[in-house]
Amino acid sequence: MIQLENVSYAYGIDAKPALRDVTLSIPQGEFVAIVGPNGGGKSTLVKLILGLLKPRTGRALLFGESPEKTRCRAGYAPQQARVDFNFPIGVLDVVLAGRFGAPSRRGPFSPRFSKSDKEAALAALERMGVAELSRKSFGELSGGQRQRVLIARALCSKPELLVLDEPTNNIDPANAERFYELLAEIAKKSSILMASHDLGVVSKMVDSVVCVNQVVHIHPTSEFNGALVSELYNADVRLVRHDHRCAEVGAHSSVYE
Ligand code: ADP
Ligand code: MG
């Protein structure tokens, strides 16, 4: 389903590579977690897989083809800190935008959403426990509410592959638990790729773990133990502290502090 061959990526010509020589293969039907320190390259990896970034070297395939062509078969909830919310848009419209890839639609530019599109959008909001927000403006929602709406958007087209970048960052523990129950149910029918810091949850729920810290290693969940975690995160203590100090200016802190 996902294949990367010797993929490297850097954000600027002289920039240090965010990802270096990544070769990776993920079969259909798996629930895969992406873990690694902040700045390790998790979001970059997700964007390369979806064709939102193009590899500097190597190539990425999604469902055996160029990701630009096939990413309509995936639902994507981006990491929220990176999304700009300063535009006036209703919650239902945010979710409906997730229907662009839905197979039932006539084409990506058909101007109106059908009744079934709206029903699917409302059902997705319902699944995320935020149906009552459907008539609100997206901008007036709390971080956790926005997060759940963005996940509803990713779910809305019933994608073959669900891609979630740190989906529980702004969600309180009770709702996060409910969300993981929903994910377990979705995982029976779809493939899931999820960047997450919830290592306990990750090791219980997923089939394999992709460890990302500029380079990438994939492990079956059974190998994902304390030694691997400290190897992955220890080198990054300075970075995490730095994040912590920056908390008051808006950087979010991580569970590793
Ligand atoms: P993670 O998701 O694991 O926190 P990212 O993929 O966001 O990591 O970032 C990997 C590296 O790329 C970091 O060094 C980060 O600073 C850099 N980076 C990410 N996005 C950009 C961007 N838009 N422009 C420049 N550098 C970026
Ligand atoms: Mg990220």
Side-chain angles (χ1 to χ4, degrees), residues 36-40 213 230-242 254 256:
N38 290 335
N213 193 0
S230 33
E231 191 185 316
L232 183 62
Y233 287 92
N234 263 359
D236 201 56
V237 170
R238 190 184 48 80
L239 217 166
V240 171
R241 285 215 186 110
H242 173 75
S254 97
Y256 301 103

Side-chain angles (χ1 to χ4, degrees), residues 11 18 36-45 47 79 82 165-166:
Y11 281 92
N38 290 335
K42 300 181 294 298
S43 298
T44 305
L45 181 65
K47 287 176 192 167
Q79 187 175 349
R82 303 272 161 82
D165 195 348
E166 302 202 25

Side-chain angles (χ1 to χ4, degrees), residues 194-211:
M194 174 177 74
S196 176
H197 285 304
D198 288 341
L199 298 187
V201 171
V202 160
S203 56
K204 264 185 249 150
M205 290 181 70
V206 309
D207 301 303
S208 45
V209 181
V210 174
C211 296

Side-chain angles (χ1 to χ4, degrees), residues 109 168 188:
F109 302 112
T168 55
K188 290 179 196 157

Side-chain angles (χ1 to χ4, degrees), residues 39-106:
K42 300 181 294 298
S43 298
T44 305
L45 181 65
V46 161
K47 287 176 192 167
L48 285 163
I49 287 169
L50 292 170
L52 301 170
L53 296 174
K54 285 210 164 71
R56 285 295 176 83
T57 62
R59 66 170 187 164
L61 296 174
L62 180 62
F63 300 113
E65 291 186 71
S66 130
E68 287 95 330
K69 260 196 227 162
T70 49
R71 67 172 171 237
C72 56
R73 292 160 65 183
Y76 169 48
Q79 187 175 349
Q80 219 198 108
R82 303 272 161 82
V83 182
D84 177 13
F85 297 110
N86 290 327
F87 50 85
I89 183 167
V91 165
L92 194 62
D93 292 319
V94 169
V95 180
L96 277 167
R99 293 290 284 174
F100 279 125
S104 67
R105 287 181 55 71
R106 271 160 291 158

